[in-house]
Amino acid sequence: MKPLVSVGALGGTIAMTTTETGAVTPALDAEDLLAPVPGLDALAEVTSRSLANLPSPSILPSHILAALDYAKEMVDGGAAGVVLTHGTDTLEETAYFLDLLWDREEPIVLTGAMRGANLPGADGPANLLAAIATAIDPAVRGMGTLVVLDDTIHLARLVSKTHSTAVSAFQSPGWGPIGRIVEGRVRLMYKPATTFPALPVPGPHEIQIPVIQSPLGDEGRWAYGLALTNPHALVIEASGVGHLSMRTADACEQLVTDGLLVAMVTRTGSGSTTEHSYAYPGSEEDLIARGIIPGGFLTGRKLRILLHILTSAGMDREEIISEVHRRGQ
Ligand code: ASP
């Protein structure tokens, strides 16, 4: 018997075709996406559903929660895994959002495309086939949410879109993919050393957590300004291993004293924040002592998703710090 796999379509370039200007726009539904995928019949029994058809910067928590419900319904109905198609721009955020909430052994695999469906060398069908092959492979059971593009398999918590146009845009900076698709089959090289229990599912409300970068010459004004919008937390992309200017450090300390959750990540795009490598005003050791929460290996946009789910669950500051510590390392 062939394994059952369910494909939920959310939109993105994979579902776009060209307009008269040559630019692409949403056009295809879930069934259209599956039609040009070669060899599907031999691989799996596939069901599909169109969940949305949006460019991914417009995906909201409500769409992600609808995709989560769809995935649960499909797995409870016997699917070996679920594939979600999604725009590549924010795919890593939806993948991590789902990863934090997913409580089943069967994988959710996100994929998309860098080239529109009717452009030369369209990568959508190959990515979809690779994602389906991954979703049904027993080797990835229990690994949560994965991202498959360009024949590489990535963990949701590590993957980033690292190039604006390349077909090989998806990388796990500093770590690499955990596996590859070769001759249509999954070849898994690594398994995550740690997996985490699912977090409580938040409501479909807005994510009120801004992410700002702290570049040369930043003196903390923006952090103060954003605090006036009553965010649930603030994420700062700090330099190096978690460094801010002395003035920005003072601003952040004031915000922490005022009761705001302020967290930081490295803006370098790879590696983690540290805890005791540097000791000077604005260093990571100093910032942590002042109550700023280090995000470890998470990018700013992923730490934002984690903080959204933790604050939505009503956790207190100490619980949030310990979850960020666990999940960021
Ligand atoms: N460039 C995007 C994509 O690859 C557009 C989007 O994210 O929806 O799908």
Side-chain angles (χ1 to χ4, degrees):
M1 244 182 52
K2 286 186 290 184
L4 178 64
V5 65
S6 303
V7 178
L10 288 154
T13 300
I14 192 169
M16 297 189 193
T17 57
T18 42
T19 59
E20 61 282 3
T21 67
V24 297
T25 196
L28 309 178
D29 66 16
E31 276 190 31
D32 299 329
L33 294 183
L34 289 165
V37 180
L40 260 192
D41 278 354
L43 197 61
E45 191 184 322
V46 184
T47 64
S48 67
R49 191 180 299 171
S50 298
L51 302 169
N53 202 347
L54 288 169
S56 69
S58 294
I59 291 283
L60 296 170
S62 56
H63 301 115
I64 300 172
L65 297 176
L68 179 70
D69 286 345
Y70 168 73
K72 285 182 177 168
E73 181 192 330
M74 294 300 110
V75 163
D76 294 348
V82 172
V83 171
L84 297 173
T85 59
H86 193 287
T88 58
D89 290 354
T90 64
L91 187 149
E92 68 208 60
E93 286 149 271
T94 294
Y96 188 55
F97 201 126
L98 291 167
D99 195 44
L100 291 171
L101 305 177
W102 189 235
D103 59 359
R104 311 287 209 271
E105 285 291 297
E106 294 81 357
I108 299 180
V109 181
L110 274 86
T111 193
M114 294 298 291
R115 296 180 181 152
N118 61 344
L119 292 179
D123 50 334
N127 285 342
L128 197 42
L129 187 61
I132 290 171
T134 305
I136 59 174
D137 198 299
V140 304
R141 277 178 72 88
M143 292 175 65
T145 303
L146 301 168
V147 169
V148 172
L149 283 100
D150 193 33
D151 281 342
T152 52
I153 307 169
H154 298 267
L155 293 181
R157 67 185 199 243
L158 296 178
V159 72
S160 287
K161 183 176 182 178
T162 63
H163 196 285
S164 58
T165 59
V167 166
S168 58
F170 282 78
Q171 309 286 337
S172 295
W175 297 101
I178 59 161
R180 293 181 181 275
I181 313 295
V182 181
E183 295 182 324
R185 275 186 39 227
V186 169
R187 306 289 171 86
L188 201 64
M189 192 54 71
Y190 312 111
K191 284 196 168 193
T194 41
T195 52
F196 304 102
L199 290 169
V201 177
H205 47 273
E206 190 189 339
I207 305 175
Q208 290 183 55
I209 302 181
V211 180
I212 55 171
Q213 202 174 95
S214 186
L216 177 88
D218 173 26
E219 298 203 347
R221 253 179 235 270
W222 308 323
Y224 279 131
L226 281 167
L228 297 177
T229 67
N230 290 323
H232 294 164
L234 173 65
V235 175
I236 304 200
E237 295 183 344
S239 53
V241 291
H243 295 162
L244 298 174
S245 72
M246 296 172 195
R247 301 274 300 266
T248 306
D250 290 343
C252 289
E253 183 181 6
Q254 183 59 53
L255 296 178
V256 172
T257 306
D258 294 346
L260 184 64
L261 283 169
V262 181
M264 64 171 174
V265 294
T266 172
R267 68 174 197 180
T268 60
S270 184
S272 73
T273 50
T274 59
E275 293 178 14
H276 300 293
S277 296
Y278 293 85
Y280 54 78
S283 71
E284 84 289 1
E285 189 180 67
D286 172 57
L287 295 173
I288 293 167
R290 298 196 209 196
I292 292 139
I293 305 165
F297 285 101
L298 294 171
T299 59
R301 45 200 182 269
K302 287 200 183 146
L303 180 55
R304 171 178 179 265
I305 301 290
L306 175 58
L307 287 170
H308 170 70
I309 290 173
L310 299 177
T311 52
S312 301
M315 290 189 186
D316 65 27
R317 185 182 158 80
E318 290 316 310
E319 288 170 316
I320 290 173
I321 291 176
S322 100
E323 281 297 328
V324 170
H325 185 77
R326 249 153 53 94
R327 292 170 191 264
Q329 299 314 307

